[in-house]
Amino acid sequence: MSFFILFNMKNILNYYYNIDIVDIIKLEDNYLIFDEYNNYLLYKLNDYININNVLNIIKKINTNDYSNIILNINNKYITKLDDNNYVLLLLKGILNEEITIKDIINNTNKYLYLNNKIDIVNLWSKRLDYLEYQVSQLGKNKEELLNTFSFFLGLGENAISFIDINNINFNNIRCSLMHYRINNKELNMNYYNILNTIIDYQVRDYSEYIKSKIFNNEDILKDINLILDNLNNDEIKLFYARLLFPTIYFDVVEKILLNEIDESILNKYINNINNYINSLNDIYLEIKKRISIDIPSWIKSHN
């Protein structure tokens, strides 16, 4: 970061938050900030983040493990800088330490409670309809996208059918403090970012973590069994349904359609389709040792 930008940002933060800054590191759209005693993250709010929803989570749940939101000089949570909305977070823990599956399990279990008001089938159906329409309108010149979208759309439809065929009782599925998105290389400062949290079924983080490992060609079976040990039968079924639903691919599609990233990023997912299907079968075989589930026959017959 140039001296001018650094100097300007120090003055801005000193004004809004009365922080005597020692150093600043720019992280894409965000800023990692250090004073003599604490570490902070000046976080740019994304469209999907509703600050009021986050504040409601904080009111309902004791989130002491998570970063604290710092009020600005105007006693507001949001500070507008260069036409963007930012929130300052006081960070905790070792910033660059990677989160493990055991960390996720311990954290998930800490915030467990029952809530059956999330209509996941409706949410998934709406997202598939939206993406199908957007691809038809905006993806006409995107050959790689058009060549792969039908397969992943079919996976999403299989995930919805799986829920119905396996008679999942959502009254038995516990919710917890989950994350909008999580990957298998998640750092402490990102995982414990309270702005990235959402109340959802507890299998959400587990499934996204595992899908990330699959597409990064990493071993998953040890993690799978640790996860299954912490789930009841209906939760195991929903965990598998979420593994079938290719969120990680759909996120990339949305960014491609908005021209935020290059279409070539799809190669990572295209090249790992066989690994993904084989992993779904391997996970099914582990689940089968515990409970009976009905999965798409083409997964079991895939070589």
Side-chain angles (χ1 to χ4, degrees):
M1 186 184 297
S2 71
F3 173 79
F4 174 76
I5 295 174
L6 179 62
F7 180 77
N8 189 44
M9 185 59 72
K10 281 185 175 182
N11 286 337
I12 290 171
L13 291 169
N14 184 264
Y15 170 76
Y16 279 106
Y17 298 101
N18 193 29
I19 298 175
D20 188 12
I21 295 169
V22 174
D23 196 12
I24 300 177
I25 298 174
K26 194 173 190 309
L27 304 172
E28 296 182 354
D29 293 329
N30 309 313
Y31 296 88
L32 187 58
I33 299 160
F34 307 90
D35 68 8
E36 188 175 352
Y37 305 103
N38 298 303
N39 304 319
Y40 303 87
L41 183 67
L42 187 66
Y43 191 82
K44 180 183 174 183
L45 290 182
N46 298 312
D47 292 338
Y48 61 80
I49 295 176
N50 184 316
I51 190 68
N52 291 322
N53 289 345
V54 175
L55 295 176
N56 285 333
I57 289 173
I58 294 171
K59 287 178 183 178
K60 290 179 181 178
I61 300 175
N62 181 354
T63 56
N64 287 338
D65 295 327
Y66 283 77
S67 52
N68 294 336
I69 301 177
I70 307 298
L71 291 168
N72 64 25
I73 193 175
N74 301 314
N75 209 34
K76 302 289 186 182
Y77 290 105
I78 297 175
T79 301
K80 198 168 194 67
L81 302 174
D82 295 330
D83 295 324
N84 293 310
N85 291 324
Y86 287 88
V87 171
L88 185 67
L89 300 169
L90 174 62
L91 301 176
K92 301 177 182 179
I94 302 172
L95 303 185
N96 293 322
E97 186 175 69
E98 282 190 7
I99 296 298
T100 68
I101 190 59
K102 289 183 179 179
D103 294 323
I104 297 173
I105 290 170
N106 291 337
N107 193 64
T108 299
N109 288 340
K110 189 181 296 184
Y111 296 105
L112 282 179
Y113 70 98
L114 281 172
N115 184 324
N116 63 342
K117 296 180 180 179
I118 303 169
D119 189 349
I120 197 168
V121 169
N122 184 48
L123 290 172
W124 285 357
S125 296
K126 285 183 175 179
R127 189 172 193 201
L128 294 183
D129 289 343
Y130 168 79
L131 285 169
E132 192 169 19
Y133 176 77
Q134 292 298 313
V135 168
S136 70
Q137 297 299 306
L138 303 175
K140 294 174 181 177
N141 297 319
K142 301 183 186 300
E143 185 176 345
E144 293 293 346
L145 173 56
L146 294 175
N147 287 340
T148 59
F149 182 72
S150 293
F151 171 78
F152 286 98
L153 179 69
L155 274 174
E157 292 169 343
N158 280 179
I160 293 171
S161 298
F162 175 91
I163 289 174
D164 180 54
I165 292 169
N166 286 277
N167 299 312
I168 297 176
N169 184 351
F170 284 89
N171 291 318
N172 293 332
I173 298 178
R174 295 163 291 177
C175 286
S176 186
L177 190 59
M178 296 285 96
H179 297 77
Y180 282 101
R181 291 293 177 264
I182 186 172
N183 62 66
N184 69 306
K185 299 295 182 183
E186 203 72 69
L187 298 179
N188 188 304
M189 68 175 180
N190 297 323
Y191 182 79
Y192 290 105
N193 178 349
I194 192 66
L195 297 174
N196 190 33
T197 59
I198 185 173
I199 301 297
D200 201 348
Y201 295 122
Q202 67 150 323
V203 297
R204 179 184 182 119
D205 280 5
Y206 295 148
S207 60
E208 298 309 312
Y209 179 86
I210 292 298
K211 280 183 282 190
S212 178
K213 289 197 84 169
I214 290 171
F215 282 109
N216 284 318
N217 288 303
E218 296 187 25
D219 181 66
I220 59 169
L221 287 184
K222 287 183 181 179
D223 290 346
I224 290 296
N225 283 294
L226 285 173
I227 291 168
L228 296 179
D229 286 343
N230 286 272
L231 302 179
N232 64 39
N233 289 357
D234 286 297
E235 289 166 344
I236 289 174
K237 293 175 183 177
L238 185 58
F239 171 59
Y240 194 84
R242 285 205 70 112
L243 290 172
L244 273 172
F245 195 85
T247 316
I248 192 167
Y249 171 85
F250 291 147
D251 287 348
V252 169
V253 167
E254 288 184 334
K255 291 179 180 179
I256 290 172
L257 292 175
L258 293 172
N259 294 314
E260 293 179 1
I261 58 175
D262 189 80
E263 190 184 8
S264 61
I265 194 70
L266 287 174
N267 289 330
K268 175 180 179 179
Y269 305 98
I270 296 169
N271 295 336
N272 274 288
I273 285 176
N274 283 332
N275 183 40
Y276 184 33
I277 300 171
N278 289 334
S279 296
L280 287 172
N281 190 48
D282 290 341
I283 295 167
Y284 161 70
L285 294 175
E286 291 301 312
I287 291 175
K288 190 179 174 183
K289 296 174 185 176
R290 301 167 184 253
I291 65 170
S292 175
I293 62 170
D294 189 359
I295 71 167
S297 58
W298 62 267
I299 294 178
K300 289 187 279 188
S301 62
H302 180 79
N303 293 315

